[in-house]
Amino acid sequence: MIYRSHVLVCNGTGCVSSKSPDLMAKMEELLVANGIENEVKIIKTGCFGLCEKGPILVIYPEGATYCNVSVDDIEEIVNEHLVKGRIVKRLLLGDKEAEDVSKSRDNVGFFAKQKRIALRNCGVINPENIEEYIAHDGYLALAKAVTEMTPAEVIAEITKSGLRGRGGAGFPVGRKWQFAAQEVSDQKYVCCNADEGDPGAFMDRSILEGDPHSVIEAMAIAGYAIGANQGYIYVRAEYPIAVERLNIAIKQAHEYGLLGKNIFNTDFSFNLELRLGAGAFVCGEETALMTSIEGNRGEPRTRPPFPAVKGLWGKPTLLNNVETYANIPVILLKGADWFSSIGTEKSKGTKVFAIGGKIHNTGLVEIPMGTTLREVVYDIGGGIPNGKKFKAAQTGGPSGGCIPADHLDIPIDYDNLLEIGSMMGSGGMIIMDEDTCMVDIAKFFLEFTVDESCGKCPPCRIGTKRMLEILDRITQGKGEEGDIEKLEALAESINKGALCGLGQTAPNPVLSTLKFFRDEYEAHVKDKKCPAGVCTALLNYVIIADKCKGCSLCARKCPVNAISGEVKKPYVIDQDKCIKCGVCMESCKFAAIEKK
Amino acid sequence: MKSVEELKAIREKALKEISIRDNENKIRIVVGMATCGIAAGAKSVMNAFAEELAKRNINNATVSMTGCIGICRLEPIAEVIGVDGEKTTYVKLDAEKARRIVAEHIVNQKPVVEYTIGEAEK
Ligand SMILES: Cc1cc2nc3c(=O)[nH]c(=O)nc-3n(C[C@H](O)[C@H](O)[C@H](O)COP(=O)(O)O)c2cc1C
């Protein structure tokens, strides 16, 4: 069936939660009512990236991108655009008066600086239809690998591309494949790490939701390259849409003979299964992940032996991240030279970041390595809301660190980020403005690792807990001389002594905030002040006498009767009684109460 | 999947189905579909364009609609906009004429002069 118009509706988790399925249902109903259901096709697609402006839908052949669409807008879109061919300008993303509507979003900074390789099909194809993936050159790379290349040639091409792991550490992918390939064994495995435990990160989820076949194809290629006939995707059960689309995709790949026995009539066979994780951060660590797939409690084991030698069920195993895999098919089709022409000297290609926090355009962006943080924050991210100043960006999640304003011009790549004490990580990027307390942020991440520590090794189980207690004290105004030094000493011994990456990197957020914002720690410890005005225990609510009209409202609202005074004269807060709940400040009609 | 050829065949077929989403370097056929156009039969013209393109496996042209082109007495009207932006306006169309435009203008790149607005206004 040929349709005259295609309506692509984002069905990533972000737009689904802002009701894109309701939009589709409403549109379907109206297409029928207008008798054009055989002319217009509605297609589910993956994430366009600009979640802030979701739900997003794109109508072809005009290529009109509509944003912030609500159910109430659907009638207008159907009547105007689909029935009469008139663009609904008010909903267009970007330049509403663009002569060619398909270009309306070209000048939107968010899109202009991106380069989509891993996300190439997200928002472009229907992830539940294998043929749309095939139309976009899907499975051609697998065909090329198994029918034209030797496993060694595949590995050589990947090595030459300079691709490094996107799961965090940035290990060269070709080298890892080589290690697994050179092991001799009756059985080998290929695994995909789709645990995505970094809080706030959703790159991998979006790839699985928007383009699951790219990961499946890449895993089959990896199986061919290292000599494995079985693969596992370890995905967290909290990603129900990703799980569902993966299941559909695996089933379709089997039906089309792209998984299973004798792929492309060669003697290469490959099967793929899902394993659902319960959502523990430590299960993203490679050895814990494999222990969990084996059906045991997800705890890490010592390395070496590395998974390439002794992995799943003791057999040589290759483990890569979702985004790493998503790059593989394009590299084989377009060539290593093309890929390595993008990026910096030691970091090739692109990286996907999930940008969140104090920034206009929260969402998913894919940028060439070497893009500066300034470009990400201001050009792509649209800057900081409410006219506030940029303070720092946290990358690498609970294992990473912060990049302060003086380093805004740093070109983002693996080595530059490591050098300043942060790391690329898996792609979470949290933007913080001047109202953020860096001690509080460090505490937030440490609370996360304390919660997520599996408890197997003492440095992580006990050490991180002691660090958190100290931070707690500091933010409560009970910091003591020497606390900062104690934090540093603990950090060093946890880093040296912990069994796995979780513990080894857990002190990073503290160390990195100490490196750039030591004065803030000192203000908390010595002066008992929180310069950003976040740590409640260090703040006092005070009534500005000049502004107070003596209306007595605050005194009546105060739950602990800490405010007293005479009507029509300035009131005062008794700091000993005050519990710092902030009710007075909220109730004051004259903005006469301040937090200092 | 037994062969690469089989994969490529699926690819060709699927590409045709989604070619509408690729509007780079394409000839655009835009049919006026406001009330006046629809009353004059624009819908069957539009369908004829779409069917003829599909039947002939033409991937380098798309059909879309627009509102009132402004000359209601000459409806149904369609504009064929070339890759270079050059515009040919056809008037008083019907399904038969639409099919001929596809055959001569889109396939053989020879506009059907007798249906153009210039000819009608002579
Ligand atoms: C505590 C911890 C959590 C991790 N979580 C993830 C994760 O969620 N996803 C991921 O791909 N890698 C994660 N990693 C990194 C993996 O151990 C492993 O290095 C990676 O999956 C390898 O794939 P790559 O080489 O393609 O990056 C984590 C590591 C640690 C120490």
Side-chain angles (χ1 to χ4, degrees):
Chain A
M1 179 82 98
I2 297 290
Y3 294 85
R4 67 169 162 85
S5 189
H6 284 190
V7 181
L8 272 66
V9 185
C10 178
N11 267 257
T13 293
C15 284
V16 165
S17 57
S18 51
K19 304 265 187 296
S20 62
D22 293 358
L23 303 186
M24 294 207 298
K26 178 80 181 173
M27 187 171 279
E28 239 152 77
E29 185 191 313
L30 291 174
L31 291 185
V32 174
N34 282 283
I36 52 173
E37 73 274 23
N38 293 325
E39 298 173 23
V40 179
K41 186 177 183 182
I42 303 175
I43 296 135
K44 266 190 199 180
T45 183
C47 185
F48 290 93
L50 192 50
C51 309
E52 178 79 19
K53 296 227 179 333
I56 289 184
L57 53 89
V58 182
I59 300 184
Y60 291 100
E62 296 84 359
T65 306
Y66 292 129
C67 60
N68 292 121
V69 179
S70 75
V71 175
D72 299 335
D73 297 324
I74 295 297
E75 191 163 348
E76 185 177 350
I77 293 177
V78 172
N79 288 345
E80 287 295 302
H81 189 145
L82 296 174
V83 175
K84 298 198 188 121
R86 285 197 286 243
I87 303 295
V88 184
K89 289 186 180 174
R90 68 178 179 90
L91 294 173
L92 276 184
L93 176 61
D95 178 8
K96 299 194 189 319
E97 298 302 328
E99 197 148 322
D100 176 354
V101 283
S102 70
K103 305 259 183 310
S104 80
R105 68 189 210 193
D106 284 12
N107 290 326
V108 177
F110 182 81
F111 293 105
K113 292 219 165 166
Q114 292 196 52
K115 182 167 183 71
R116 288 183 140 210
I117 298 176
L119 297 176
R120 62 193 175 279
N121 289 327
C122 289
V124 176
I125 64 166
N126 176 351
E128 296 181 6
N129 181 348
I130 189 172
E131 295 202 354
E132 292 204 1
Y133 179 67
I134 293 174
H136 285 264
D137 300 336
Y139 291 102
L140 276 181
L142 176 63
K144 180 174 177 185
V146 301
T147 64
E148 293 172 25
M149 300 170 86
T150 63
E153 282 167 351
V154 173
I155 295 176
E157 194 70 14
I158 300 299
T159 307
K160 194 171 150 210
S161 75
L163 176 67
R164 293 168 67 171
R166 302 293 192 242
F171 193 82
V173 177
R175 193 135 35 106
K176 203 188 251 186
W177 288 27
Q178 178 59 37
F179 288 146
Q182 74 199 19
E183 289 299 311
V184 181
S185 172
D186 56 337
Q187 177 70 57
K188 296 182 189 178
Y189 297 104
V190 171
C191 290
C192 172
N193 190 342
D195 190 58
E196 196 158 57
D198 177 358
F202 56 97
M203 306 75 52
D204 295 348
R205 186 190 76 204
S206 297
I207 292 173
L208 295 176
E209 288 176 352
D211 194 18
H213 286 286
S214 66
V215 174
I216 295 172
E217 180 181 6
M219 290 182 72
I221 293 170
Y224 175 73
I226 70 157
N229 61 6
Q230 176 67 43
Y232 293 97
I233 302 177
Y234 187 83
V235 54
R236 53 175 54 215
E238 285 157 63
Y239 283 180
I241 301 177
V243 171
E244 185 194 326
R245 302 230 171 111
L246 274 172
N247 274 322
I248 295 172
I250 292 175
K251 187 162 161 271
Q252 289 179 343
H254 270 288
E255 284 164 8
Y256 280 69
L258 294 160
L259 284 176
K261 284 212 165 67
N262 303 109
I263 297 168
F264 292 110
N265 231 1
T266 63
D267 51 18
F268 172 62
S269 302
F270 192 72
N271 278 309
L272 201 51
E273 285 175 43
L274 295 190
R275 285 293 179 271
L276 304 195
F281 183 54
V282 72
C283 287
E285 193 281 332
E286 56 186 22
T287 61
L289 181 147
M290 289 185 289
T291 313
S292 174
I293 293 182
E294 289 165 3
N296 299 314
R297 185 186 170 123
E299 286 182 342
R301 35 195 200 225
T302 45
R303 295 181 313 172
F306 286 94
V309 178
K310 250 180 148 192
L312 205 51
W313 291 294
K315 302 292 183 186
T317 302
L318 171 73
L319 175 80
N320 278 122
N321 160 267
V322 171
E323 188 186 333
T324 312
Y325 281 126
N327 280 289
I328 299 286
V330 215
I331 294 178
L332 286 195
L333 287 181
K334 294 200 180 175
D337 293 333
W338 164 79
F339 188 80
S340 62
S341 70
I342 304 158
T344 62
E345 194 195 336
K346 287 184 182 154
S347 303
K348 301 300 186 188
T350 57
K351 178 77 194 86
V352 184
F353 284 97
I355 313 185
K358 301 290 170 57
I359 186 115
H360 270 294
N361 300 330
T362 50
L364 204 63
V365 306
E366 181 167 355
I367 49 167
M369 297 275 188
T371 305
T372 65
L373 181 60
R374 187 185 299 281
E375 289 171 290
V376 174
V377 174
Y378 291 98
D379 300 340
I380 298 174
I384 318 290
N386 306 322
K388 298 277 180 181
K389 276 211 294 279
F390 169 87
K391 185 166 185 179
Q394 171 85 14
T395 60
S399 306
C402 64
I403 312 170
D406 327 341
H407 291 277
L408 263 172
D409 290 308
I410 190 169
I412 298 174
D413 74 4
Y414 290 101
D415 309 285
N416 284 339
L417 293 191
L418 268 186
E419 197 172 306
I420 63 164
S422 183
M423 63 185 252
M424 184 75 94
S426 57
M429 185 182 283
I430 299 171
I431 308 297
M432 296 172 275
D433 69 6
E434 55 191 298
D435 293 340
T436 314
C437 166
M438 300 313 280
V439 184
D440 185 58
I441 280 291
K443 195 179 104 185
F444 167 81
F445 282 112
L446 205 60
E447 266 167 5
F448 179 84
T449 33
V450 166
D451 268 354
E452 295 289 339
S453 169
C454 76
K456 185 169 177 175
C457 74
C460 178
R461 181 182 70 234
I462 303 171
T464 56
K465 180 99 182 150
R466 293 291 93 84
M467 284 183 77
L468 181 59
E469 284 165 1
I470 296 175
L471 282 181
D472 240 346
R473 261 208 333 260
I474 294 179
T475 53
Q476 290 294 327
K478 296 178 190 142
E480 296 159 11
E481 197 72 33
D483 271 352
I484 296 176
E485 292 70 22
K486 261 188 220 152
L487 280 174
E488 286 170 326
L490 272 167
E492 196 188 331
S493 41
I494 296 169
N495 175 264
K496 282 194 182 139
L499 172 60
C500 83
L502 191 154
Q504 289 156 14
T505 58
N508 283 355
V510 178
L511 290 177
S512 134
T513 45
L514 262 175
K515 174 169 169 185
F516 294 114
F517 299 96
R518 200 180 182 95
D519 51 332
E520 271 187 49
Y521 279 82
E522 283 166 355
H524 282 73
V525 175
K526 296 195 182 124
D527 315 331
K528 312 286 181 229
K529 287 271 171 237
C530 173
V534 172
C535 298
T536 330
L538 301 179
L539 298 175
N540 287 328
Y541 286 87
V542 283
I543 296 176
I544 313 294
D546 287 351
K547 288 190 186 168
C548 179
K549 304 267 189 263
C551 74
S552 85
L553 184 63
C554 57
R556 283 177 279 135
K557 292 266 179 187
C558 177
V560 291
N561 296 323
I563 306 180
S564 58
E566 254 178 71
V567 178
K568 300 217 168 119
K569 289 195 180 143
Y571 276 59
V572 256
I573 302 176
D574 180 344
Q575 297 301 340
D576 291 335
K577 282 194 193 159
C578 175
I579 55 165
K580 298 172 187 171
C581 64
V583 166
C584 53
M585 194 160 123
E586 278 163 31
S587 67
C588 180
K589 300 208 165 35
F590 311 101
I593 303 182
E594 282 181 4
K595 204 163 67 159
K596 290 198 202 165
Chain B
M1 193 72 55
K2 288 301 159 221
S3 69
V4 181
E5 284 63 44
E6 211 181 312
L7 180 70
K8 288 190 174 153
I10 297 175
R11 179 170 175 273
E12 289 310 312
K13 176 181 138 258
L15 261 181
K16 216 171 96 186
E17 276 168 26
I18 62 168
S19 72
I20 188 175
R21 292 180 221 164
D22 174 15
N23 42 19
E24 297 278 301
N25 298 320
K26 287 217 175 158
I27 303 171
R28 290 191 295 138
I29 304 173
V30 183
V31 184
M33 290 271 273
T35 311
C36 48
I38 294 172
K43 193 119 188 193
S44 67
V45 171
M46 163 113 187
N47 291 342
F49 275 123
E51 281 161 22
E52 195 64 18
L53 290 179
K55 208 164 82 195
R56 292 173 176 266
N57 278 334
I58 295 169
N59 285 333
N60 67 335
T62 63
V63 189
S64 59
M65 323 182 288
T66 184
C68 182
I69 296 180
I71 345 163
C72 307
R73 68 199 159 82
L74 298 178
E75 294 279 3
I77 300 178
E79 291 173 336
V80 175
I81 304 164
V83 178
D84 50 6
E86 192 175 332
K87 201 189 277 181
T88 312
T89 306
Y90 290 108
V91 298
K92 292 191 175 167
L93 293 175
D94 59 27
E96 204 43 54
K97 291 179 182 172
R99 282 192 273 272
R100 206 176 130 198
I101 291 169
V102 171
E104 297 183 15
H105 189 159
I106 311 293
V107 178
N108 295 328
Q109 289 148 28
K110 285 208 192 70
V112 189
V113 179
E114 51 186 292
Y115 302 159
T116 57
I117 187 164
E119 211 52 27
E121 294 288 75
K122 253 188 198 156

